[in-house]
């Protein structure tokens, strides 16, 4: 019976919007951070690569669309590199949707919040595919989240009608809550569920409590993403993901939860290191199994896979 329900659920999945797809072009002169962090991923990554990765799941017959996500750079404050990446992503989006190619709905660009909102306004004016901005905050001290200039920048981002993708750790969720509360006109999208420590029961309890506090703010959404990375070891299964997905569903409901694959970084965290195939298909199937185990089907499932993304990013 469970196999039948899963088959029916997948047949209903007419559209899946992945809100977190990285591309990289090493010829652009952008000083990306990922080659040092993940030496085995040190190459250029394209939408053709992404399309190949998505063919190994039970969603192969569904329409999978993508939102490109900025990559962290060694010099996060380099406006030249932010613009160069935006130009690259705009070109990828413009070329997408042709026969046999994945449709790119737009991109989330880089931002240096300490530089204010003016560079974001310029980015929006130059690149029609810009759907939001993101900055990795996982290395920032608590004072950063309460800096009046950072708060003002995010209020400016909100005034531009753009959401902010927030990359923080579990220990920073309360700091992010303070920041989101101070910029209520800006919509935040928490990346990777705030890195729940899946193998640490005590840490999971602390993360869950902080995530629920964060979800009290209606201007905060959450990406159902990064679970293989947070598992931090090979051999992950849907059962390993269920505890974190359950908390996220309870905190945000499907109304503020959006699916994301974290490709190509995902390829550094395969379920089976001996497999020559992409980790994307097994990850997507495991996430879908976790949702099914928690009774998420039909309209609620469609909301996680596409509806929330369409609302959040103005698609």
């Amino acid at each position: 019976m469970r196999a039948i329900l899963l088959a029916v659920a997948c047949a209903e999945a007419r559209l899946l919007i992945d809100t977190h797809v990285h591309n990289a072009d090493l010829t652009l002169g952008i000083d990306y951070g990922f080659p040092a962090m993940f030496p085995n991923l040190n190459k250029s990554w394209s939408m053709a690569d992404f399309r190949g990765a998505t063919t190994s799941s039970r969603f192969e017959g569904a329409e999978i669309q993508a939102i490109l996500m900025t990559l962290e750079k060694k010099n996060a404050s380099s406006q030249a590199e932010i613009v160069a990446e935006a130009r690259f992503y705009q070109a990828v989006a413009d070329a997408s949707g042709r026969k046999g190619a994945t449709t790119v709905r737009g991109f989330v660009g880089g931002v240096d919040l300490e530089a204010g909102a003016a560079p974001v306004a310029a980015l929006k004016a130059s690149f029609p595919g810009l759907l939001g901005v993101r900055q990795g905050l996982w290395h920032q001290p608590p004072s950063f989240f309460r800096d009046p200039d950072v708060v003002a920048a995010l209020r400016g981002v909100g005034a531009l009608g753009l959401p902010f993708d927030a990359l923080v750790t579990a220990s920073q969720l309360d700091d992010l809550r303070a920041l989101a509360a101070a910029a209520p006109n800006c919509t935040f999208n928490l990346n990777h569920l705030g890195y729940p420590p899946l193998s640490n029961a005590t840490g999971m309890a602390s993360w869950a409590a902080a995530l629920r506090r964060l979800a009290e703010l209606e201007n905060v959404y959450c990406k159902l993403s990064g679970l293989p990375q947070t598992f931090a070891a090979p051999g992950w299964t849907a059962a390993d993901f269920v505890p974190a997905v359950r908390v996220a569903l309870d905190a945000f409901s499907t109304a503020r939860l959006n699916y994301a694959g974290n490709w190509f970084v995902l390829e550094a965290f395969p379920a089976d290191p001996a497999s020559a195939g992409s980790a994307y298909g097994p990850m997507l199937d495991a996430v879908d199994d976790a949702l099914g185990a928690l009774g998420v089907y039909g309209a609620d499932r469609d909301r996680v896979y596409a509806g929330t993304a369409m609302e959040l990013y103005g698609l």
Side-chain angles (χ1 to χ4, degrees):
M1 177 58 72
R2 174 170 171 73
I4 293 173
L5 287 173
L6 286 172
V8 170
C10 289
E12 292 175 348
R14 293 179 294 275
L15 176 63
L16 185 151
I17 301 175
D18 188 328
T19 62
H20 204 105
V21 176
H22 298 296
N23 273 201
D25 185 344
L26 298 187
T27 70
L28 295 176
I30 296 173
D31 199 6
Y32 294 113
F34 76 86
M37 295 178 68
F38 308 109
N40 59 320
L41 303 182
N42 187 14
K43 72 182 196 71
S44 294
W45 296 85
S46 71
M47 288 308 299
D49 297 323
F50 176 72
R51 184 169 179 81
T54 63
T55 61
S56 59
S57 84
R58 66 171 72 105
F59 285 74
E60 185 175 352
E63 181 181 2
I64 299 180
Q65 300 180 354
I67 294 175
L68 296 177
M69 181 59 53
T70 182
L71 281 158
E72 290 199 85
K73 303 161 192 69
K74 291 182 180 178
N75 181 7
S77 63
S78 171
Q79 293 297 328
E81 292 192 356
I82 289 172
V83 171
E85 184 184 55
R87 186 178 298 112
F88 166 48
Y89 276 179
Q90 183 67 58
V92 172
D94 290 344
S96 77
R98 298 169 183 169
K99 186 176 181 180
T102 300
T103 296
V104 175
R105 301 298 299 268
F107 66 94
V108 172
V111 65
D112 174 17
L113 291 175
E114 292 176 300
V120 179
L123 210 64
K124 183 180 180 182
S126 300
F127 301 104
L130 185 73
L131 301 177
V133 292
R134 177 201 195 214
Q135 181 175 351
L137 306 181
W138 55 270
H139 59 287
Q140 296 289 356
S143 58
F144 178 91
F145 296 82
R146 294 158 179 84
D147 186 318
D149 291 338
V150 171
V151 171
L154 282 165
R155 290 175 179 169
V157 169
L160 291 168
L162 298 173
F164 176 72
D165 268 68
L167 180 63
V168 299
T169 66
S171 65
Q172 294 173 305
L173 290 175
D174 284 328
D175 291 323
L176 182 62
R177 188 187 192 284
L179 183 56
N185 71 318
C186 183
T187 302
F188 290 70
N189 199 12
L190 174 66
N191 290 186
H192 312 331
L193 292 88
Y195 291 111
L198 294 176
S199 59
N200 182 325
T202 301
M204 278 293 288
S206 177
W207 163 81
L211 191 76
R212 291 189 177 100
R213 288 192 294 271
L214 179 63
E216 291 171 355
L217 300 179
E218 293 184 359
N219 63 323
V220 180
Y221 287 64
C222 182
K223 283 189 177 181
L224 185 56
S225 64
L227 288 164
Q229 190 169 346
T230 59
F231 189 70
W236 44 261
T237 67
D240 297 310
F241 297 167
V242 165
V245 176
R246 178 184 288 113
V247 172
L249 282 167
D250 179 62
F252 290 94
S253 82
T254 57
R256 287 187 287 149
L257 205 61
N258 54 115
Y259 165 77
N262 195 31
W263 186 90
F264 57 87
V265 174
L266 167 70
E267 303 294 10
F269 304 92
D272 179 8
S275 172
S278 171
Y280 194 94
M283 175 278 300
L284 178 51
D285 288 348
V287 168
D288 196 59
D289 285 344
L291 289 171
L294 296 168
V296 180
Y297 293 110
D300 283 336
R301 184 172 171 278
D302 291 343
R303 177 79 186 179
V304 172
Y305 284 136
T308 303
M310 294 178 74
E311 174 187 293
L312 177 61
Y313 291 104
L315 303 179

